[in-house]
Amino acid sequence: LTVWTLVFYVPYAWSVYSFNYANGQEPGPAYSITFTMVVVIGNAIMYEVCARVSDFVRYKFRDSRETTYMILYTVACTFNVLLDFVMTYITAYKIIKGLEFRTYFGI
């Protein structure tokens, strides 16, 4: 999960954070498609890692293996969603600030 975060998510987060959202500008389609593919590849890798870890444990019953896989992948997906919530908030705030909207605090 740490490798996935550092290799796949941090570059995405940094590029979204450092983009200039002044005057309502948004990243272009090529930018979005590129990072969508990075996320898809990262999720596929997490899928495979969770499956291999579940196999490595060598449970006696398949149900135990599937339960472990489900828990690992759910934790990874939940972590991903939480990171997405944070980045969406930051991006929305930067867009609002770039368009000079008034926030609750008057900024």
Side-chain angles (χ1 to χ4, degrees):
L1 191 57
T2 303
V3 171
W4 175 86
T5 302
L6 295 175
V7 173
F8 290 95
Y9 203 85
V10 169
Y12 162 75
W14 179 253
S15 65
V16 167
Y17 181 75
S18 63
F19 188 80
N20 182 9
Y21 293 99
N23 299 321
Q25 294 178 357
E26 293 184 22
Y31 189 85
S32 297
I33 290 170
T34 300
F35 280 108
T36 298
M37 292 290 83
V38 168
V39 169
V40 167
I41 292 167
N43 286 344
I45 291 171
M46 281 307 298
Y47 172 83
E48 185 63 26
V49 167
C50 291
R52 287 184 186 216
V53 168
S54 297
D55 289 336
F56 179 75
V57 176
R58 299 186 194 275
Y59 286 109
K60 185 175 181 180
F61 299 107
R62 186 164 174 85
D63 288 349
S64 299
R65 183 252 185 227
E66 292 299 323
T67 302
T68 301
Y69 167 76
M70 185 183 68
I71 291 170
L72 289 173
Y73 197 66
T74 301
V75 167
C77 287
T78 302
F79 181 71
N80 186 3
V81 168
L82 292 174
L83 287 176
D84 286 340
F85 283 159
V86 170
M87 285 311 302
T88 300
Y89 175 81
I90 291 170
T91 303
Y93 182 77
K94 288 186 79 166
I95 290 171
I96 287 170
K97 194 173 174 185
L99 292 173
E100 298 179 359
F101 287 175
R102 290 187 57 124
T103 64
Y104 177 79
F105 299 105
I107 298 173

